[in-house]
Amino acid sequence: MHDLIRTNDPVLISFVESLMRDAGIGCMVADSGMSILEGSVGVIPRRILVDPAMAAQARRILIDAGLEEELRPWNDRDTSA
């Protein structure tokens, strides 16, 4: 999976999920269950992941939405999940 964004901002996560859904791009929010372990203090950011085949299109959508500064650096070998 391609790591698009890491954040603790639930509004940003919801917005990105909405953008991906509208574009027909499946995405997954990883590490959302970690809040139970960390005590909800927001130490561990949530990761928004997409299929590597859709990563370029997903990144373009986020850039067009003004979220370029939120994007993780591009890494063709990123397969973290």
Side-chain angles (χ1 to χ4, degrees):
M1 297 295 282
H2 179 78
D3 189 353
L4 283 178
I5 293 177
R6 292 184 186 185
T7 184
N8 287 322
D9 183 345
V11 175
L12 177 59
I13 292 169
S14 179
F15 182 52
V16 171
E17 286 180 305
S18 176
L19 290 170
M20 295 300 108
R21 185 174 38 254
D22 289 350
I25 299 173
C27 72
M28 177 180 115
V29 179
D31 305 322
S32 58
M34 294 302 291
S35 62
I36 295 167
L37 297 176
E38 70 180 21
S40 297
V41 294
V43 176
I44 301 172
R46 289 16 166 200
R47 295 176 293 147
I48 301 175
L49 307 170
V50 296
D51 184 312
M54 301 302 289
Q57 182 182 352
R59 291 176 69 84
R60 174 54 43 203
I61 290 166
L62 296 179
I63 290 168
D64 290 347
L67 299 175
E68 184 171 4
E69 291 183 14
E70 301 291 339
L71 286 170
R72 302 279 298 161
W74 180 264
N75 183 352
D76 289 330
R77 294 175 304 227
D78 188 1
T79 58
S80 61

